[in-house]
Amino acid sequence: AQSVAQPEDQVNVAEGNPLTVKCTYSVSGNPYLFWYVQYPNRGLQFLLKYITGDNLVKGSYGFEAEFNKSQTSFHLKKPSALVSDSALYFCAVRVWTNAGKSTFGDGTTLTVKP
Amino acid sequence: DTGVSQDPRHKITKRGQNVTFRCDPISEHNRLYWYRQTLGQGPEFLTYFQNEAQLEKSRLLSDRFSAERPKGSFSTLEIQRTEQGDSAMYLCASSLRAQAEGTGELFFGEGSRLTVL
């Protein structure tokens, strides 16, 4: 069975500081990893994904994430947070043998304070 | 490209009634997914279609739930004899079938919120 853990329900950072939102996963086989963001009263929006290759992937709005196979992690990062980054972030995993099913974490609420 | 649209956005019903939700995916997307999300939880997979074929159903999907995508375009999710535990946000997403299975990102609608009294 595949699973995703987001160990922090809430992350608070000051504007201009770096941010990290943590994600760990468990799958059988090679994972495909995704980050989505949900703003209030909006649908989930895709941010970035890791499929293969370079462990550091870059995505929308200046976000990036680092895949670490030994630690089974895929943490989301941004060098300098903006107040507008405040939202709910979800990590998700898929495997090619079960390609239709994404398993999501329970989300992390990011609050960036001015 | 108008994105994924879902209707209705909100539905309040009494226990025991039937409800139906509709999803219109992005027009060129051949895969369509249904997820359920409750407060404080991430989306839970319910089922997905490739064109009109339903390829997988979650064990979460009891016999009271049925989903269709008759012409490979829009989809409906019907819940019969609703129970209070069915109260949730029902999310629809679509994607292109990627060259490598499982690698395509999902495009979500804004969801249909169901409240069962």
Side-chain angles (χ1 to χ4, degrees):
Chain A
Q2 56 199 52
S3 64
V4 172
Q6 294 182 239
E8 300 158 316
D9 290 338
Q10 181 107 19
V11 170
N12 298 311
V13 298
E15 188 174 31
N17 284 359
L19 70 87
T20 299
V21 182
K22 295 179 180 178
C23 171
T24 59
Y25 66 90
S26 175
V27 296
S28 297
N30 293 323
Y32 302 141
L33 293 154
F34 302 79
W35 276 102
Y36 293 86
V37 60
Q38 187 172 32
Y39 298 100
N41 300 315
R42 301 292 300 275
L44 278 79
Q45 297 176 32
F46 168 73
L47 270 182
L48 51 77
K49 64 183 177 183
Y50 170 82
I51 303 302
T52 188
D54 193 348
N55 289 342
L56 184 65
V57 293
K58 294 185 184 296
S60 307
Y61 312 120
F63 283 93
E64 57 189 29
E66 186 166 13
F67 171 63
N68 187 317
K69 187 171 184 178
S70 63
Q71 296 186 4
T72 62
S73 67
F74 188 57
H75 301 331
L76 181 70
K77 300 182 179 184
K78 187 173 182 181
S80 179
L82 299 173
V83 172
S84 58
D85 293 330
S86 299
L88 182 57
Y89 291 81
F90 291 97
C91 181
V93 68
R94 283 154 81 175
V95 293
W96 77 270
T97 52
N98 194 3
K101 177 182 177 181
S102 295
T103 298
F104 286 80
D106 286 337
T108 299
T109 299
L110 172 68
T111 302
V112 181
K113 297 181 179 177
Chain B
D1 181 0
T2 58
V4 178
S5 63
Q6 294 188 243
D7 183 70
R9 295 289 311 281
H10 303 274
K11 179 71 176 178
I12 300 174
T13 191
K14 293 182 179 179
R15 189 177 56 187
Q17 298 295 305
N18 298 345
V19 297
T20 299
F21 301 113
R22 175 180 169 125
C23 173
D24 287 89
I26 294 171
S27 57
E28 62 267 27
H29 286 183
N30 52 7
R31 287 198 167 173
L32 186 147
Y33 310 78
W34 286 99
Y35 283 80
R36 180 171 65 189
Q37 186 178 20
T38 53
L39 196 62
Q41 306 286 317
E44 293 178 295
F45 172 80
L46 293 179
T47 188
Y48 89 101
F49 294 83
Q50 180 164 304
N51 300 316
E52 66 275 10
Q54 188 173 19
L55 296 187
E56 187 175 350
K57 287 175 58 172
S58 167
R59 284 170 289 179
L60 292 174
L61 220 61
S62 76
D63 291 344
R64 297 185 297 105
F65 288 71
S66 63
E68 294 182 341
R69 194 182 184 199
K71 296 183 179 180
S73 56
F74 74 92
S75 175
T76 58
L77 177 68
E78 181 183 17
I79 309 174
Q80 297 181 327
R81 305 181 304 281
T82 52
E83 303 173 356
Q84 288 184 326
D86 297 332
S87 296
M89 179 74 85
Y90 290 85
L91 303 175
C92 178
S94 68
S95 74
L96 281 170
R97 181 180 178 183
Q99 197 165 15
E101 281 289 351
T103 61
E105 59 270 24
L106 303 182
F107 294 79
F108 282 87
E110 295 185 349
S112 293
R113 182 171 296 283
L114 174 64
T115 302
V116 182
L117 302 176

